[in-house]
Amino acid sequence: MINDKKVLYSGMQATGNLTLGNYLGALKNWITLNEEYECFFGVMDLHSITIRQQPADFRKRARNLLALYIAAGLDPVKNCIYYQSHVSAHAELGWILNCFTYMGELNRMTQFKDKAAKHSDNINAGLYTYPVLMAADILLYQSDYVPVGKDQQQHLEITRDIAQRFNSIYGDVFTIPEGYYGKRGAKVMSLQDPSKKMSKSDENPNGSIYLMDDSDTVLRKCKRAVTDSDSEIRYSEDKPGVSNLLEIYSACTGKSIEESEKEFDGKGYGEFKPAVAEAVNAILEPMHKEFERILKDKAYLDGIIKENDDKARYFANKTLRKVRKKVGFTDIPH
Ligand code: ATP
Ligand code: LTN
C-alpha cells in the first residue's frame, strides 16, 4: 500500500511504434486507474535491449513513448511515469532474483521460444532471463495488480512463483501480485488479417494503425482493410474483418456495438470505412497535438522525468534495502 492505496504496475517496451491496439487495449484503460490505485507505468528500456537497438533511434523512441503516455492522457503528476533504466534497483533486484529462479522454469517460457526463433542470430542471456527482470519491476514496488495482456500471463505467474519462493525463505518481503483484468480494453485485430492481433512488430504496416499515423494514412488503411464479400455491416464470428472495424468504431466513439450496427444498417463499406477512419482520427489528432507540444517543451518534460524518476527510486530502493538485508549483504557504510 502507498498512501492507503493498492499499488498497480505496468509498462511497455520502447520497441516499435505503438498501435491503436496498444492504445485501445491498454493505454486508454490505464488513464483512470490512478483514482483507485497508486500507479507506476514504466518505459521498459532495459527490456528493449534484449533485441539489438540502434542507439540514436532507441533514445528517441524511448522519449517518444514517455511523451506519448502523457499525450494519451496519463497524468504525470498523479501517476509515476518513468524510465526503467533510470532506477538501477531494477537491474540489482533482477540479478538477485536470477539466483532464485530455476532454468527449468525459464525453459518453459513461450515468449522466449517465440523471440529466440524470430531473432536466431541473437539469442542472448538477457532474452532468456527477461521474465526475471519483469518480476523485479513488479516486486520492487510491492505491486498488488498488474494489468497485462494474455501474452504476458505466463510472466506474471513466474513472478508470483519467484516472490513466493523468496518469501518462504526470508519471510514476508514481497507482495504477491495479481493480474488486473478490470475493465477490459478492446482487442484489436490486424486490418489485413483479422485472425491475427494488431501488433507493432507486424511486417505489414497496412495491418496496423500506428498512433503517429496522419489522418490520410488512417483513411487509406481503413479503406484497404480486409472485409468480406457481402456488404452487410454486422458483428459476427463469420465476419471477422467487419467485426474488427465495428469494434474499433465502437471503442473510439464510445457507442455500443449494437448502436454502431444500427447506425450503418443498410449502408455499405463506402460509408462505413471512412466513418471508422474519422472516429480513429478524432482520437489521434488531439493526441498528436499534445505529443508535439510536450516534446517541444524540453524543460517541462525533463522536469517530469526527474520528479518521477526520484519517486520511483524512493519506493524501489525501500524494497531493495530490505532484500539486501534479508539476503545477508553487508551494509554499505554512509
Ligand atoms: P510486439 O508486436 O512488439 O510483441 P505488441 O504490439 O503486441 O508488441 P505489447 O508491447 O506486447 O504489444 O503490449 C503492450 C500492451 O498492449 C499489452 O498490455 C497488450 O495486451 C496490449 N495490446 C497489444 N496489442 C493489442 C491489440 N491488438 N489489442 C489489444 N491490446 C493490445
Ligand atoms: N513484458 C511486457 C512489458 C513489461 C511489463 C513489466 C509489463 C516489462 N516489465 C512489468 C507489466 C509489468 C510486454 O512486453 N508487454
Side-chain angles (χ1 to χ4, degrees):
M1 298 282 255
I2 298 178
N3 300 328
D4 284 335
K5 283 177 170 173
K6 290 204 167 182
V7 178
L8 183 140
Y9 192 98
S10 200
M12 291 189 196
Q13 288 195 66
T15 39
N17 297 315
L18 294 198
T19 68
L20 189 65
N22 296 127
Y23 175 74
L24 294 177
L27 208 42
K28 181 170 177 251
N29 307 295
W30 293 355
I31 291 166
T32 52
L33 291 172
N34 68 74
E35 289 162 16
E36 199 171 345
Y37 306 102
E38 192 69 31
C39 295
F40 293 83
F41 296 108
V43 170
M44 299 310 185
D45 50 356
L46 293 177
H47 278 110
S48 306
I49 62 164
T50 53
I51 309 291
R52 203 67 73 228
Q53 303 291 333
Q54 204 279 321
D57 181 46
F58 176 38
R59 188 173 298 120
K60 192 166 153 205
R61 230 173 319 102
R63 192 165 170 100
N64 284 357
L65 179 56
L66 194 114
L68 201 54
Y69 278 177
I70 303 170
L74 277 182
D75 183 333
V77 176
K78 296 183 179 153
N79 299 277
C80 183
I81 302 174
Y82 73 104
Y83 293 105
Q84 182 191 30
S85 72
H86 290 193
V87 181
S88 58
H90 288 257
E92 292 179 54
L93 184 63
W95 171 256
I96 295 171
L97 296 182
N98 266 325
C99 304
F100 292 86
T101 307
Y102 297 116
M103 290 181 64
E105 289 177 298
L106 291 176
N107 288 339
R108 287 200 292 272
M109 296 293 120
T110 56
Q111 179 178 293
F112 172 72
K113 290 178 203 165
D114 293 348
K115 293 216 169 162
K118 223 166 160 180
H119 304 274
S120 56
D121 55 336
N122 180 23
I123 306 179
N124 60 70
L127 200 58
Y128 186 61
T129 59
Y130 180 114
V132 186
L133 181 61
M134 182 159 159
D137 302 336
I138 296 167
L139 300 178
L140 268 179
Y141 299 90
Q142 305 292 351
S143 312
D144 296 279
Y145 297 113
V146 184
V148 281
K150 261 219 154 62
D151 57 323
Q152 296 298 314
Q153 261 172 10
Q154 205 183 21
H155 290 166
L156 192 59
E157 276 311 309
I158 197 174
T159 300
R160 289 165 56 88
D161 291 344
I162 296 170
Q164 267 153 354
R165 182 170 308 138
F166 197 93
N167 282 357
S168 72
I169 304 172
Y170 300 108
D172 266 348
V173 178
F174 296 125
T175 302
I176 309 297
E178 282 173 40
Y180 175 88
Y181 309 106
K183 206 168 69 191
R184 276 215 91 91
K187 180 154 188 214
V188 184
M189 311 309 280
S190 159
L191 298 181
Q192 291 299 312
D193 176 1
S195 67
K196 263 187 4 195
K197 79 165 189 162
M198 185 181 283
S199 150
K200 52 180 145 63
S201 55
D202 194 343
E203 302 93 56
N204 183 353
N206 288 323
S208 303
I209 293 176
Y210 298 102
L211 294 185
M212 282 300 130
D213 279 346
D214 61 34
S215 48
D216 291 343
T217 309
V218 172
L219 179 62
R220 183 171 49 76
K221 287 180 176 175
C222 287
K223 279 187 174 165
R224 277 201 198 165
V226 171
T227 41
D228 38 31
S229 46
D230 82 57
S231 63
E232 208 184 337
I233 294 155
R234 180 169 51 83
Y235 195 95
S236 144
E237 232 168 73
D238 61 347
K239 293 169 76 75
V242 176
S243 300
N244 187 36
L245 290 176
L246 271 168
E247 184 99 47
I248 294 174
Y249 184 76
S250 136
C252 288
T253 55
K255 295 175 187 167
S256 69
I257 297 280
E258 298 74 46
E259 274 177 274
S260 309
E261 281 177 329
K262 226 177 258 155
E263 194 177 334
F264 295 101
D265 190 22
K267 295 183 180 155
Y269 296 147
E271 246 174 286
F272 177 51
K273 286 178 166 180
V276 175
E278 201 179 310
V280 172
N281 284 328
I283 303 240
L284 297 193
E285 276 166 10
M287 203 190 288
H288 292 169
K289 283 208 183 91
E290 190 58 6
F291 176 77
E292 294 302 336
R293 188 187 69 76
I294 294 165
L295 271 187
K296 251 193 227 142
D297 196 344
K298 189 170 178 304
Y300 163 78
L301 193 53
D302 286 345
I304 294 282
I305 293 171
K306 174 150 190 352
E307 233 163 79
N308 281 311
D309 280 355
D310 286 346
K311 182 173 172 191
R313 243 181 243 127
Y314 170 80
F315 290 107
N317 284 334
K318 229 163 113 170
T319 301
L320 186 64
R321 276 198 299 275
K322 204 163 161 188
V323 169
R324 288 182 52 95
K325 210 176 211 151
K326 294 282 187 186
V327 170
F329 289 138
T330 51
D331 287 340
I332 303 170
H334 292 291

